[in-house]
């Protein structure tokens, strides 16, 4: 592809579709709801809305005419209507590939493709908002082949000695495919059925702002609450609708969820109407996090997240893309990590903190308790004739219990070339990284830590932004061993041509 090419003509309709979704509220409000208003604002606002829409449509057409791309040994991107811009992004900078197929793309037989880079900024990613599926496969294949050639004949780079790997690419291995029972469990664990409440509340608020339905609604609610059996039916119907809403939302979001891999890549796909496919190079995984919220701990579930150096268009998209299925059984999560990334090891046997760590944590000042106590003293709330200081004591007990749970759950281990931290109170997070992927370590000591012979240790991994992890109040000798452990990294890093 050595000549400049325009993007797919479907991009015109796609941008028009997005413009219509953002403009529909103004059209309805100015021309339907306030269509009979002869006030100055609406009289001149209606033609202003039409003029802005017309200018936006012209901009969409000019943008498509002036936006082009070319591929040879890199991405060459040309765009700009009045101010011209040219970008060149080498294939070696491509970290991850994200493919998303929305409802619009399904209707038109297209998809969107994003090549994420390790650079920062709004222009860090190479985006094809609308591209045919065949062309998308051609682009991915072309970039993949060129990246391999660049890595074999590229300049001097830093590599990690991890043994020889088979160059022959086998078929993908499917590690997990979401079943109906997994989706049901995910629905209740994520409390997705509660999302109906803000949806109904937001819809009612908009109706009240536009049509003023609050008085009529109050009268209807008062009439319905006069009968006990009507209340019962409403409650049962609300529960059924909420559960159905939660199951439907979970099915649309996680239906078709599949995790697979080959020697080089990890592939994640999910979604029914809005489908997403994401691939990440195994050697670009910097660390692994296994997170459990309080509810997930009760159900024995966990979420595995991969920390990588690629950058998505939005932080939320990156978090979702780099996350394996968020509702995996804990043991299955551990096994899947070792299946997908055999170079990583998850050790369940870890070292606990010494008893002195608990006392240091309990004696640290709590700003939550101090601020809460100050507010209680100032307002002196009269609740069931209970003195305000009783609530201060209860708050202090809650803070103390949370710190105890955090102490009990905090663990660590240095296992050969791996570091592993576990932290958290009611919710926990397990962090695993290879020494070769750690770019910096730090050890700090506070005043009370010096007295107790403790220290805080932390590691930094490459990510966007850089990823910090660590634990507090480990024995001082462990902190010293931590430094020696990291210095051995020099034996694992080689410079090759």
């Amino acid at each position: 592809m050595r000549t400049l090419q325009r993007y797919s003509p479907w991009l015109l309709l796609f941008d028009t579709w997005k413009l219509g979704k953002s403009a529909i509220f103004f059209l309805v409000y100015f021309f339907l709801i306030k269509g009979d208003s002869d006030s100055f604002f609406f009289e001149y606002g209606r033609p202003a809305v039409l003029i802005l829409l017309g200018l936006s449509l012209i901009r969409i057409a000019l943008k498509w005419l002036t936006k082009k791309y070319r591929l040879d040994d890199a991405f060459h991107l040309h765009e700009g209507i009045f101010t011209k811009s040219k970008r060149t992004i080498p294939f070696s900078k491509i970290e991850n590939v994200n493919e998303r197929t929305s409802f619009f793309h399904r209707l038109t037989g297209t998809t969107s493709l994003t090549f994420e880079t390790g650079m920062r900024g709004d222009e860090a990613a190479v985006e094809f908002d609308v591209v045919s599926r065949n062309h998308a496969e051609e682009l991915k294949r072309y970039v993949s082949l060129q990246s391999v050639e660049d890595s074999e004949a590229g300049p001097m780079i830093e590599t990690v000695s991890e043994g020889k790997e088979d160059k022959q690419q086998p078929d993908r291995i499917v590690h997990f495919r979401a079943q109906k029972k997994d989706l049901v469990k995910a629905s209740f664990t994520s409390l997705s059925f509660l999302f109906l409440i803000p949806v109904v509340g937001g819809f009612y608020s908009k109706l009240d702002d536009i049509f003023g339905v609050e008085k009529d609604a109050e009268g209807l609610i008062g009439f319905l609450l006069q009968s006990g059996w009507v209340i019962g039916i409403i409650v049962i119907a609300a529960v059924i609708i909420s559960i159905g809403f939660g199951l439907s939302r979970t099915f649309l979001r996680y239906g078709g969820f599949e995790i697979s891999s080959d020697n080089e890549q990890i592939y994640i796909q999910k979604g029914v109407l809005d489908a997403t496919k994401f691939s990440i190079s195994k050697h670009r995984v910097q660390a692994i996090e296994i997170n459990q919220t309080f509810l997930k701990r009760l159900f024995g579930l966990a979420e595995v997240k991969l920390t990588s150096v690629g950058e998505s268009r939005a932080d939320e998209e990156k978090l979702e893309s780099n996350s394996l299925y968020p509702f995996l059984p804990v043991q299955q999560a551990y096994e899947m990590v070792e299946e997908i990334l055999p170079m990583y090891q998850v050790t369940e046997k870890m070292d606990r903190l010494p008893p002195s760590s608990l006392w240091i944590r309990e004696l640290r000042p709590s700003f939550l308790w101090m601020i809460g106590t100050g507010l209680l003293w100032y307002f002196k709330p009269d609740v069931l004739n209970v003195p305000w200081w009783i609530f201060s004591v209860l708050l202090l007990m809650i803070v103390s219990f949370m710190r105890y749970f955090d102490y009990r759950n905090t663990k660590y281990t240095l296992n050969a070339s791996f570091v592993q931290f576990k932290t958290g109170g009611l919710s926990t997070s397990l962090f695993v990284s290879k020494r070769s992927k750690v770019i910096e370590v730090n050890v700090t000591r506070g005043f009370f830590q010096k007295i107790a012979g403790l220290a805080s240790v932390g590691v930094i991994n490459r990510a966007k932004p850089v990823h910090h992890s660590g634990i507090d109040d480990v024995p001082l000798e462990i902190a010293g061993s931590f430094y020696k452990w990291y210095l051995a990294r020099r034996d694992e890093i080689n410079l090759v041509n």
Side-chain angles (χ1 to χ4, degrees):
M1 302 180 186
R2 306 214 176 251
T3 59
L4 286 173
Q5 296 189 29
R6 285 197 177 94
Y7 290 79
S8 170
W10 284 112
L11 185 60
L12 292 167
L13 184 59
F14 180 71
D15 287 340
T16 304
W17 170 276
K18 291 195 298 182
L19 175 64
K21 289 194 298 183
S22 60
I24 187 66
F25 171 78
F26 296 98
L27 293 174
V28 171
Y29 189 72
F30 276 82
F31 291 92
L32 292 181
I33 299 175
K34 298 295 183 179
D36 298 331
S37 177
D38 55 357
S39 68
F40 176 85
F41 177 76
F42 292 104
E43 185 176 352
Y44 289 93
R46 283 187 284 270
V49 169
L50 294 178
I51 292 173
L52 289 175
L53 283 177
L55 292 176
S56 299
L57 291 174
I58 294 173
R59 180 183 176 276
I60 289 173
L62 292 176
K63 178 184 174 182
W64 179 78
L65 288 171
T66 56
K67 190 174 182 180
K68 301 177 183 179
Y69 69 96
R70 176 170 59 89
L71 274 70
D72 42 37
D73 57 347
F75 281 108
H76 301 276
L77 309 175
H78 297 236
E79 59 183 314
I81 300 174
F82 300 107
T83 302
K84 302 295 183 181
S85 171
K86 296 181 180 180
R87 288 189 291 151
T88 299
I89 300 180
F91 294 132
S92 59
K93 297 295 184 181
I94 302 299
E95 305 284 357
N96 309 319
V97 181
N98 195 344
E99 182 179 345
R100 182 176 181 180
T101 306
S102 65
F103 181 68
F104 173 88
H105 294 107
R106 289 184 180 277
L107 289 177
T108 56
T110 59
T111 187
S112 67
L113 199 61
T114 303
F115 295 93
E116 301 172 1
T117 71
M119 300 179 288
R120 294 189 62 83
D122 296 334
E123 298 183 347
V126 180
E127 303 172 5
F128 293 85
D129 289 329
V130 181
V131 62
S132 68
R133 296 177 184 177
N134 290 336
H135 191 44
E137 294 299 325
E138 292 176 2
L139 288 171
K140 290 190 291 185
R141 192 181 305 112
Y142 184 86
V143 171
S144 178
L145 291 174
Q146 292 295 323
S147 298
V148 172
E149 293 178 2
D150 291 344
S151 63
E152 291 178 350
M156 182 176 287
I157 58 174
E158 185 182 78
T159 62
V160 181
S161 300
E162 295 178 350
K164 295 181 179 180
E165 293 186 1
D166 185 7
K167 296 291 183 180
Q168 185 177 3
Q169 292 292 331
D171 294 334
R172 293 186 191 179
I173 300 174
V174 178
H175 302 279
F176 175 79
R177 185 177 287 119
Q179 306 295 331
K180 290 182 180 180
K181 62 178 182 179
D182 299 310
L183 297 176
V184 172
K185 192 181 296 184
S187 176
F188 285 96
T189 307
S190 63
L191 302 178
S192 59
F193 54 88
L194 296 179
F195 280 89
L196 182 64
I197 297 175
V199 169
V200 174
F203 180 71
Y204 170 77
S205 177
K206 290 185 179 296
L207 283 180
D208 182 57
D209 292 339
I210 297 174
F211 299 106
V213 298
E214 183 175 359
K215 294 183 178 179
D216 295 335
E218 290 179 354
L220 178 61
I221 293 174
F223 172 77
L224 294 176
L225 293 180
Q226 293 178 357
S227 176
W229 65 270
V230 173
I231 296 175
I233 292 176
I234 292 175
V235 170
I236 294 173
V239 171
I240 294 175
I241 294 173
S242 297
I243 294 176
F245 176 82
L247 290 173
S248 301
R249 183 177 183 273
T250 303
F251 175 76
L252 292 175
R253 188 173 185 181
Y254 296 108
F257 203 108
E258 182 181 285
I259 304 170
S260 60
S261 69
D262 55 28
N263 279 353
E264 300 294 335
Q265 301 279 334
I266 302 171
Y267 305 94
I268 303 171
Q269 65 179 42
K270 65 173 183 177
V272 178
L273 293 179
D274 193 349
T276 301
K277 293 182 181 179
F278 179 78
S279 66
I280 176 174
S281 298
K282 289 185 178 182
H283 72 276
R284 300 196 186 277
V285 175
Q286 305 296 307
I288 298 170
E289 285 185 272
I290 302 177
N291 299 326
Q292 289 184 280
T293 62
F294 177 68
L295 275 178
K296 289 180 181 178
R297 292 183 66 189
L298 291 179
F299 285 94
L301 303 176
E303 177 182 12
V304 180
K305 290 185 177 180
L306 307 178
T307 299
S308 66
V309 294
E311 181 170 333
S312 297
R313 284 175 284 182
D315 292 337
E316 183 179 354
E317 288 182 11
K318 179 177 179 179
L319 289 174
E320 291 186 358
S321 297
N322 285 17
S323 172
L324 303 185
Y325 189 68
F327 309 98
L328 291 169
V330 176
Q331 196 59 40
Q332 185 179 0
Y334 291 159
E335 295 173 356
M336 187 179 297
V337 168
E338 296 183 359
E339 286 179 7
I340 298 176
L341 299 167
M343 69 287 293
Y344 281 85
Q345 299 174 2
V346 180
T347 304
E348 296 188 50
K349 185 178 180 181
M350 304 175 66
D351 298 320
R352 294 182 178 274
L353 297 177
S356 57
S357 175
L358 174 61
W359 295 111
I360 288 293
R361 291 171 181 238
E362 293 290 1
L363 292 175
R364 283 197 181 104
S366 171
F367 292 103
L368 174 63
W369 176 74
M370 289 189 291
I371 294 174
T373 299
L375 293 174
L376 289 169
W377 172 80
Y378 182 80
F379 290 103
K380 293 182 176 60
D382 184 13
V383 181
L384 300 176
N385 294 324
V386 178
W388 66 268
W389 58 268
I390 296 293
F391 295 103
S392 176
V393 173
L394 290 176
L395 180 59
L396 181 62
M397 292 176 62
I398 292 173
V399 170
S400 179
F401 277 121
M402 292 299 295
R403 290 181 171 183
Y404 173 76
F405 290 138
D406 183 72
Y407 162 78
R408 290 288 299 176
N409 289 328
T410 301
K411 303 176 185 178
Y412 62 91
T413 187
L414 296 176
N415 182 15
S417 60
F418 295 90
V419 62
Q420 190 167 305
F421 299 140
K422 185 175 183 180
T423 57
L426 297 179
S427 301
T428 62
S429 176
L430 178 66
F431 170 85
V432 184
S433 182
K434 295 191 66 176
R435 177 168 49 198
S436 58
K437 301 295 185 181
V438 176
I439 61 175
E440 184 180 325
V441 299
N442 57 74
V443 176
T444 58
R445 301 183 69 194
F447 176 76
F448 292 105
Q449 286 180 323
K450 291 181 180 179
I451 297 176
L454 304 174
S456 298
V457 298
V459 300
I460 298 177
N461 291 84
R462 291 178 62 208
K464 297 296 179 182
V466 293
H467 184 277
H468 295 260
S469 185
I471 56 173
D472 298 323
D473 308 322
V474 299
L476 184 59
E477 56 270 19
I478 296 298
S481 301
F482 188 61
Y483 263 131
K484 295 178 181 178
W485 169 85
Y486 183 67
L487 289 177
R489 181 180 186 268
R490 66 185 67 173
D491 300 328
E492 300 176 350
I493 303 298
N494 299 315
L495 290 177
V496 298
N497 287 317

